[in-house]
Amino acid sequence: MRLVHLDLKGAAPRVSYLEQVFPLLSQLGANGVLIEYEDMFPFKGELEILRSPYAYSEEDIERIQQLAEQHKLEVVPLVQTFGHVEFILKHEKYQHLREVERFPNSFNPHVPDTLALLKTILSQVIEKHRRSTWIHIGADEVFHLGEGMDSKNWMSHNKGDVGTMYLKHIKEVLSFLTAQYWGLRVLMWDDMLRKISVGALRAPRSLLGMVALVARACPTAVPFLTKYVESGFEAVWFASAFKGTTGPAQAWTPLSYHLKNHLSWLKVMQAVPRLAPLRLQGVVLTGWQRYDHYSVLCELLPVSIPSLAICLQTLVNGGFTEEAKRKVLDVLGLESVQLEQSTCEGRGAFPGVEIYHMVEQVNGHLKESILKALEEESAIKGWFSPYHRKRQFGNPRNMESFGSKVLKLHEDWESFVRDLRTQLERIYFPDTVEEWMEENVNPYLDQLRDLVRDYR
């Protein structure tokens, strides 16, 4: 299986955009989507507090699944069940379930309310995904586990460590899923398991046997895989990345970096047959949209579609062959791809291509052109300094020497930004548009706006 990860922790696209993207995914070789809803799920009843103001409706969730079915894509919902639960634990109502009182990252596994809440969350998500045969329970990066008083007490009374405590909670979640949803298969990230000994992993085989681990360590994954074979696991997935791993504020996707990541995974895949009975079940192409609920946005989906196309076709063809390259250019309507420069030539014909080109302009020229005008123009430095502007005086003769140039630059960028906003609004909800502008455009454009205001 080749699942494309849609991380809705930020920049969740409107369903109308997914209508355009799903056929593209299918065409490029994906056969599933891993959807991390977080606060975009239409939680009901006592859980309503978890919903974003722009959360999908129940009709949207149904439409997403119909679209997936239409394009032969399996939908796998992802529900975080241990760490990365800031969207839950930030609420006062659930604050008592934190492992460490100050941090909203991770659940305290010793409070009975934690499991009760997780059962309700899982039930609501699974009920709306009756076609799905898989669910992903997250379970990665459980920061500060073992630091809370309840955990310290548990470890001292049970002569246990963080690893056994982690496994105990995961087993409780799995017990609920096996009892309640017969035949539903479970995926989980493997990073927390890497620190746990083979002996400890072997012990709970009865339940862990139903889980397929999704390994994220690359390119040195083979030692971990050997450990999983010794622990009795039979199925493994790999998690590559097509965006969202090169910095929390990354705005432009580095193509060669993500291609290399997939080429490394292909080498690991070639080693899997030597690790029998372990078998490879699938690959998740991760596309993180935020590093966590509180961080800024990484690359927008339209910006990373060329990267996604290259990565999917690399997996399909066993390398970025001429055939893979031709298919990418064909499907995306491009003339060429420059991997090292992370650029594409040609107008492009993929969903959101206008945003792709406009973000390229913002990324490559906005900051540079404004800083050049403000910092390299000697008349501004000499006759229109912060001192002049603060006290509102200046010589009109010298001010006129840079005025028309600055006014033109301002007008051009304002007009460009209006168009960009229009394009973003077609795909994204207002909160995403606002956030992206605040983070990527306003820090530079505001400096120009202020100068023009003072000049006038």
Side-chain angles (χ1 to χ4, degrees), residues 151-165 200:
S151 287
K152 286 177 178 168
N153 291 337
W154 186 89
M155 288 189 288
S156 68
H157 290 137
N158 295 277
K159 296 189 172 60
D161 57 13
V162 171
T164 50
M165 196 163 60

Side-chain angles (χ1 to χ4, degrees), residues 39-43 50-58 60 429:
D39 59 2
M40 284 302 290
F41 188 80
F43 290 110
L50 303 180
R51 290 166 64 157
S52 151
Y54 300 101
Y56 292 148
S57 65
E58 292 186 16
D60 290 335
F429 298 102

